[in-house]
Amino acid sequence: MAAPRPSSSTRKFLGRLSLPERNFVADALRTETVGGVLLLAAAITALIWANVPALHDSYETVRDFHLGPGSLGLNLPVEHWAADGLLAVFFFVAGIELKRELVAGDLRDRKAALLPVAAALCGMAVPALVYTLTNVLGGGSLAGWAVPTATDIAFALAVLAVIGTSLPSALRAFLLTLAVVDDLFAILIIAVFFTSEIDFVALAGAFVGLVVFWLLVRKGIGGWYVYIPLALVIWGLMYNSGIHATIAGVAMGLMLRCTRHEGEAHSPGEYIEHLVRPLSAGLVVPLFALFSAGIAVSGGAFGEVFTRPETLGVVLGLVVGKAIGIFGGTWLTARFTRASLSEDLSWPDVFAVASLAGIGFTVSLLIGELAFDGDPELTDKVKAAVLTGSLIAATLATVLLKVRNAKYRSLYEAEERDEDLDGIPDIYEQDNPAYHLRMAEIYEHKAAEHRRLAEVAGRASEGDDGPA
């Protein structure tokens, strides 16, 4: 009896990316990795600056220094400029990433998008549930339920860079897609749950500004000298409306066109993202970390991480909730949508990446500040919990990924091999007859060169053995 044919509805999960998608992911992750290393350096600098007795006062002085036009409601401390102003650039890039994923990336196919979206949702819901249960049982505050829901892609990639894991592009793309969806829902959480009072006049002004921005983008009108002043006005109005100002950044990012017209090498969204991403990863996020991660260790913030329900809930949410949520959401979705895992990978690989997603830094710190606004002591302890949970998640992921590093390295080398030196990895050309013809010519050339060298060596040997 013949074996049953595989269902046409079966799809591969974490299979090889298309060449354009692979190139985009490689470029994006290269920038994020450099930014992640700078982020680590900024976080360490902040901890040293805030805890060395001779420097502590200067850290607080700089962090709390006010600047900006008070008449516009923007006379803010440096710490707020970093969180409300600079992070708008970070979320602007996140908005472009999301738009590109929706129109040209993995999320444009609803069936293909179901798995990473479900994984990201479960990866946010389970940590929130873990935090909530921990605080209900421990009698703590439920205000920080959203703190452990976020993943920091730059920090995660910095960990990969430090430990030297040659993670295949499919796993890196999965991590990137998770982070993009994660950022979207983090933005929605900030907008819905951390907005107390709304100034509808300022909000209406911001809305009008966004409409103007959209019309200019749609008509292809103007240059940077038009969009940057308009973006600043929209940001200022959004800040004064009471809604977190980073929402303005993601809204403008979503308005950019990310599909290419005929004759275009890059869409406007791709071009602007290429320009702004290094600024976001290399300057914006590290500066935010510098003024948010400066926790006074001597004040007992780290000492109470495992004793207070609020901080314990954050740690457990990041370490346990993220790993179980993402892995469980992925497995269940694959199970019920007939999506099969790539033959090159196994489910422990998915769990390792899920553990790596437990590194929640930038957005987790931001949500921690919003959730416990008005309680500086608890805010510092929650920040300490974010750092502790991220460190534990990074350590766990490092161990799990190192176990499979030899396999990852062989997959990575196969993806990168380009023996015909045409700039396209050989694995993407194996079905192309022209590729096989070029490879045959290369091998024939190498064989001829080998024969020529052998003949030269033979003649030299005969000359040595002959009479003097």
Side-chain angles (χ1 to χ4, degrees):
M1 181 177 177
R5 298 175 63 182
S7 169
S8 60
S9 61
T10 300
R11 292 177 292 105
K12 288 293 180 186
F13 165 53
L14 292 180
R16 189 196 315 160
L17 303 174
S18 66
L19 184 59
E21 188 70 10
R22 172 195 173 276
N23 292 339
F24 173 81
V25 168
D27 182 60
L29 295 184
R30 193 178 301 114
T31 304
E32 292 288 358
T33 300
V34 174
V37 174
L38 294 175
L39 174 63
L40 282 171
I44 293 170
T45 301
L47 288 170
I48 294 172
W49 192 2
N51 287 279
V52 173
L55 302 175
H56 174 73
D57 290 342
S58 66
Y59 179 78
E60 290 192 345
T61 299
V62 173
R63 185 187 61 187
D64 298 334
F65 181 77
H66 282 64
L67 69 158
S71 59
L72 300 178
L74 296 175
N75 185 24
L76 308 174
V78 169
E79 183 180 18
H80 279 195
W81 277 112
D84 298 323
L86 291 179
L87 277 193
V89 178
F90 167 80
F91 280 107
F92 174 69
V93 174
I96 300 175
E97 289 177 339
L98 179 62
K99 179 66 173 290
R100 186 199 161 278
E101 287 289 335
L102 290 170
V103 300
D106 290 341
L107 300 183
R108 73 180 186 276
D109 180 353
R110 285 184 297 177
K111 289 184 178 179
L114 181 61
L115 200 144
V117 169
L121 283 173
C122 292
M124 298 184 81
V126 176
L129 180 62
V130 168
Y131 177 93
T132 301
L133 289 175
T134 303
N135 282 270
V136 167
L137 296 175
S141 170
L142 299 181
W145 64 269
V147 175
T149 61
T151 294
D152 194 307
I153 184 65
F155 213 141
L157 292 171
V159 170
L160 290 178
V162 170
I163 66 177
T165 299
S166 302
L167 209 61
S169 59
L171 282 175
R172 290 176 180 260
F174 179 58
L175 184 61
L176 180 61
T177 305
L178 279 176
V180 170
V181 179
D182 195 293
D183 286 341
L184 168 65
F185 287 103
I187 292 162
L188 292 176
I189 287 172
I190 290 170
V192 174
F193 294 100
F194 296 103
T195 300
S196 54
E197 297 180 2
I198 298 179
D199 183 331
F200 288 100
V201 174
L203 183 60
F207 179 77
V208 171
L210 288 171
V211 171
V212 173
F213 187 93
W214 178 77
L215 289 172
L216 291 174
V217 169
R218 185 176 177 84
K219 299 294 183 181
I221 299 172
W224 65 267
Y225 46 85
V226 173
Y227 289 103
I228 291 180
L230 178 59
L232 291 174
V233 170
I234 294 170
W235 175 87
L237 289 168
M238 188 68 75
Y239 177 85
N240 281 289
S241 74
I243 295 177
H244 202 270
T246 53
I247 305 300
V250 75
M252 287 183 278
L254 286 169
M255 290 179 182
L256 296 181
R257 175 168 62 82
C258 291
T259 52
R260 301 177 188 179
H261 288 170
E262 187 175 354
E264 285 184 338
H266 304 284
S267 68
E270 290 173 322
Y271 176 72
I272 293 173
E273 181 186 12
H274 183 73
L275 292 177
V276 179
R277 184 189 286 275
L279 174 66
S280 172
L283 181 65
V284 166
V285 175
L287 279 177
F288 169 76
L290 182 65
F291 294 110
S292 291
I295 306 160
V297 177
S298 58
F302 284 94
E304 296 183 15
V305 161
F306 297 101
T307 59
R308 288 195 62 147
E310 295 90 351
T311 51
L312 180 60
V314 170
V315 173
L316 292 177
L318 288 172
V319 178
V320 179
K322 273 289 184 182
I324 293 177
I326 291 175
F327 179 81
T330 303
W331 187 86
L332 288 172
T333 307
R335 172 69 177 82
F336 290 105
T337 60
R338 300 180 182 178
S340 61
L341 191 63
S342 169
E343 297 87 349
D344 295 326
L345 300 171
S346 63
W347 284 108
D349 298 319
V350 179
F351 186 80
V353 172
S355 300
L356 190 64
I359 300 174
F361 190 78
T362 305
V363 180
S364 289
L365 291 177
L366 175 62
I367 294 177
E369 292 178 355
L370 296 173
F372 298 102
D373 186 31
D375 189 344
E377 182 181 356
L378 185 53
T379 298
D380 276 355
K381 291 174 180 176
V382 167
K383 287 182 179 181
V386 170
L387 294 174
T388 303
S390 297
L391 180 61
I392 295 173
T395 304
L396 175 61
T398 297
V399 173
L400 295 175
L401 291 171
K402 277 295 187 181
V403 170
R404 293 269 291 169
N405 199 37
K407 177 66 174 178
Y408 295 153
R409 188 179 296 113
S410 65
L411 292 173
Y412 181 79
E413 290 172 354
E415 288 180 357
E416 296 297 315
R417 188 175 297 115
D418 182 20
E419 294 192 13
D420 58 348
L421 302 177
D422 64 347
I424 301 175
D426 297 339
I427 199 169
Y428 288 94
E429 299 185 288
Q430 291 176 353
D431 296 330
N432 185 355
Y435 163 76
H436 293 289
L437 180 60
R438 282 199 308 275
M439 293 306 297
E441 292 172 349
I442 290 171
Y443 290 141
E444 177 58 32
H445 175 75
K446 288 182 177 179
E449 184 67 15
H450 181 74
R451 289 194 297 270
R452 187 184 70 79
L453 292 174
E455 290 172 1
V456 171
R459 286 197 297 270
S461 178
E462 290 173 2
D464 292 339
D465 293 340

